[in-house]
Amino acid sequence: MCFFGERPLPRGASAARRDGAVSAARGVAILVLLFFFATVPRAESEETASIDRSRYLMGAPLRIQAEGKPASALDPAVEAAFARVESLDRTLSNWNDAGELRRLNEILSRSTPGAGIPVGRPLGRALRRGLAWARRTGGLFDPALGALLDAWGVARPPRAGTALPLAAARAAAGHRLVRLERTPTGAFRLIARRPGVQLDLDGIGKGIALDAAGRVLRRHGVRRALLDFGGQLLAVGEPPPGGWCVAVAHPLARDIPALVVRLRDGSLATSGNGERGAIRAGRFAGHVLDPRNGRPTRGRASFSVLARTAAAADALATAVAAG
């Protein structure tokens, strides 16, 4: 895959102009030499550098390839981006046993319907975006299907003894069963209308994290970057000529590209059942649920979506795969 293309050569020192009307006096020559030597270190300090690093976060590898100058600022920029995603991992991921979303689901599993549950601001903002996408997609993307995911035993890490029977899980699933409110202080409060409601942000969490990491890189002046979060891509900043060319894997053979896309200042998300699922009663059940019938989708096809933001691409790819 071609990501960056050729890097430009570092800009050299400026040459002094010759004044044709004045002879080159020794003092002027000295000033020219001083100017020349003063500009050389500056040019070297502004040379474009590149970094390629990976971390395992939110249940998937996150790879950041970044390019920028000065070189001394690139390493802190990439580390700050990883730190932001790590913070969101502790907030949004059901794969993190100590995460805030995991704790919220535990409270929901034993709370009385109608009770207001305080939610931290980063998680509240993510839930608000997830519920907004649920309304936009007519429920094909839904962040309140956790009870069904647990009942079917797909997609989410198991929590012993918490899965409801399938009929009860269907009754406790759906974004219309939850309401998110803002308090006078600007904090969030979640209200569930039925017992057993469980939340899951896997269909948008990585997109939210990618967007956050991209904002960190931009604030640090990174010239260009390509972020790959378990297959979802985000291109940041000035692209190489023609954009980044990235391969979309075949749904049944990840090492085989199904097509190549030129990505420019946006995100490409792919969703489907090619990698995760389970055999139920002799038939394949994917990890993507169809919210209309509460059952796992059967096909192994994958669906890719291009969007300006990673959160939008993530949610829409999930919705298309579910529908």
Side-chain angles (χ1 to χ4, degrees):
M1 294 187 289
C2 49
F3 297 116
F4 292 130
E6 294 184 0
R7 293 193 294 273
L9 293 174
R11 187 182 297 277
S14 300
R17 288 186 172 183
R18 179 183 299 172
D19 189 341
V22 181
S23 63
R26 179 175 299 180
V28 174
I30 292 173
L31 289 175
V32 170
L33 286 173
L34 289 173
F35 176 75
F36 178 80
F37 286 115
T39 56
V40 171
R42 181 181 177 185
E44 290 177 352
S45 67
E46 292 184 354
E47 183 178 355
T48 300
S50 61
I51 277 181
D52 185 346
R53 292 184 183 167
S54 299
R55 300 275 172 82
Y56 193 83
L57 297 164
M58 299 179 77
L62 169 60
R63 181 184 183 187
I64 299 179
Q65 295 175 282
E67 188 175 285
K69 60 182 181 181
S72 60
L74 192 58
D75 182 82
V78 172
E79 289 303 312
F82 278 127
R84 182 68 182 116
V85 176
E86 187 175 2
S87 174
L88 288 170
D89 187 4
R90 294 191 296 269
T91 301
L92 309 181
S93 178
N94 267 312
W95 298 86
N96 191 328
D97 291 339
E100 185 180 355
L101 182 60
R102 190 87 158 189
R103 294 196 304 270
L104 176 59
N105 279 328
E106 290 172 358
I107 295 171
L108 283 169
S109 66
R110 58 177 184 270
S111 66
T112 303
I117 303 171
V119 178
R121 292 188 185 185
L123 178 55
R125 287 191 291 266
L127 289 171
R128 182 174 59 185
R129 295 185 72 180
L131 292 170
W133 277 110
R135 293 188 293 270
R136 291 173 189 170
T137 61
L140 287 176
F141 168 81
D142 196 323
L145 298 182
L148 275 172
L149 291 168
D150 285 343
W152 284 105
V154 295
R156 285 157 50 110
R159 292 182 298 130
T162 60
L164 296 172
L166 189 55
R170 283 198 177 98
H175 66 280
R176 293 183 178 85
L177 299 179
V178 297
R179 186 170 79 250
L180 191 66
E181 299 178 342
R182 294 297 296 266
T183 67
T185 63
F188 290 90
R189 179 171 54 227
L190 184 78
I191 298 171
R193 297 187 173 94
R194 293 185 67 95
V197 171
Q198 295 283 281
L199 302 169
D200 188 277
L201 290 171
D202 277 0
I204 196 173
K206 290 184 179 65
I208 290 173
L210 278 172
D211 286 332
R215 288 191 293 271
V216 170
L217 293 173
R218 289 186 182 96
R219 283 198 301 269
H220 281 76
V222 170
R223 179 183 176 187
R224 62 173 61 137
L226 185 72
L227 293 79
D228 183 344
F229 206 170
Q232 181 173 0
L233 298 156
L234 175 66
V236 174
E238 174 191 345
W244 289 271
C245 52
V246 296
V248 177
H250 191 284
L252 300 182
R254 189 164 180 79
D255 294 335
I256 300 175
L259 72 156
V260 175
V261 176
R262 289 195 177 274
L263 187 61
R264 180 186 179 95
D265 196 23
S267 181
L268 173 69
T270 301
S271 183
N273 292 319
E275 292 187 5
R276 286 190 288 168
I279 302 299
R280 303 287 181 187
R283 297 181 65 187
F284 175 79
H287 75 282
V288 178
L289 294 183
D290 184 342
R292 296 167 297 186
N293 58 25
R295 302 180 67 85
T297 53
R298 296 289 184 184
R300 292 182 184 249
S302 64
F303 304 87
S304 297
V305 172
L306 281 167
R308 178 67 65 183
T309 69
D314 202 2
L316 288 171
T318 303
V320 173

